[in-house]
Amino acid sequence: MTEAAALHTPGAPCWVSLIVHRLSATEDFYGRLFGWEFRPGPEELGPYVRALLHGKEVAGIGQLPPDRHLPIAWTTYLASKDADVTAEAIRSCGGTVAVGPLDAGQAGRLVIASDPCGAVFGVWQAREHLGTTLAGEPGTPVWNELLTRETSSVAKFYQAVFGFGTDAVVSADFDYQTLRLEGRAVAALHGVGHALPRDRGPHWMTYFEVADTDEAAARVTELGGQVLRPPREASGKRVATVADPEGAVFTVQQSSR
């Protein structure tokens, strides 16, 4: 288990959330895949549940109104001491604020925004709800990575808004920047050029820890999801890119033990 304080340094990913059409079916999928249980969360934006593992909150799932047809995707939230100040910084640095800042009951204050390349992310100012409070175990978010065309310009946006330091991999065929806060790697930017899916554009990818990547990928298919990129080795970890039955894409990762 990782200490909550370490998880929630301002700028660090602190929560992941998914908004879907069929909430109960989605609960069933993730419950059976990751062993999550659910309890109601704030419903200011509609029906919403928090996923728990060993009684600790790890993710959120909400339900879209029937007349809304938005892309179904996991959203990475970055921690902020002041969501209003962060929203202004996003605007002044070329990003777009789509929702908020607004209160989610007593839980906290949120913003939904996009960077200058169009990748959607959230901002979370914690009050009663700190965000993810369990890490490093199967079924928990373990990493967040922005997939974009190239990293050099968008890196300046995230550095300016959130104060990230970056470590860049300088290579003709690999465009990758690790984002650091207080010397700790917290997320990454990955430039994939023309390999970026045309139907998605730039987007944040959530990685979930699993005990066995191959078994998890097979289970996704059994539960009605899809395997988009089969299990493979990447940076000493075994990963697979998958989608749930409503098309929300995520990566499962088996870390070296």
Side-chain angles (χ1 to χ4, degrees):
M1 188 184 303
T2 302
E3 292 181 10
L7 285 170
H8 309 317
T9 304
C14 62
W15 187 243
V16 292
S17 190
L18 177 65
I19 308 298
V20 298
H21 295 290
R22 301 180 299 275
L23 181 56
S24 61
T26 301
E27 288 182 48
D28 183 66
F29 172 85
Y30 287 100
R32 293 167 70 184
L33 179 63
F34 291 141
W36 289 352
E37 297 178 340
F38 301 91
R39 70 179 176 204
E43 296 193 356
E44 279 74 15
L45 300 178
Y48 189 83
V49 296
R50 291 181 183 153
L52 293 89
L53 194 64
H54 311 312
K56 301 286 187 179
E57 296 175 342
V58 295
I61 304 175
Q63 182 167 298
L64 282 166
D67 59 341
R68 298 294 295 277
H69 298 284
L70 300 175
I72 305 302
W74 280 99
T75 298
T76 297
Y77 283 75
L78 306 177
S80 172
K81 287 184 177 179
D82 189 321
D84 296 77
V85 170
T86 301
E88 283 304 311
I90 289 167
R91 293 189 187 98
S92 66
C93 292
T96 301
V97 174
V99 177
L102 56 81
D103 289 326
Q106 297 302 310
R109 193 160 172 80
L110 68 85
V111 170
I112 303 294
S114 58
D115 67 28
C117 295
V120 175
F121 63 94
V123 174
W124 183 252
Q125 177 188 340
R127 289 176 185 152
E128 292 181 357
H129 174 61
L130 297 177
T132 303
T133 53
L134 183 68
E137 296 191 19
T140 63
V142 68
W143 188 242
N144 292 270
E145 189 167 287
L146 173 66
L147 298 179
T148 189
R149 288 183 178 83
E150 59 85 25
T151 66
S152 60
S153 59
V154 78
K156 295 173 183 176
F157 168 82
Y158 288 100
Q159 288 171 319
V161 175
F162 295 103
F164 292 121
T166 61
D167 291 339
V169 174
V170 180
S171 168
D173 59 355
F174 193 57
D175 179 10
Y176 194 89
Q177 298 198 42
T178 301
L179 302 180
R180 295 185 177 275
L181 290 169
E182 300 176 351
R184 185 171 60 94
V186 296
L189 312 177
H190 190 182
V192 296
H194 295 299
L196 193 70
R198 289 185 179 181
D199 60 338
R200 298 196 66 200
H203 60 278
W204 279 89
M205 175 76 76
T206 299
Y207 286 64
F208 291 98
E209 185 73 23
V210 292
D212 187 306
T213 297
D214 296 74
E215 287 184 5
R219 186 71 169 147
V220 165
T221 302
E222 291 172 6
L223 294 171
Q226 288 182 285
V227 175
L228 305 179
R229 294 190 67 191
R232 61 200 182 277
E233 299 299 321
S235 302
K237 301 174 177 63
R238 191 156 178 80
V239 300
T241 306
V242 300
D244 69 20
E246 288 203 30
V249 178
F250 58 100
T251 296
V252 289
Q253 171 179 305
Q254 178 186 347
S255 300
S256 301
R257 297 301 186 200

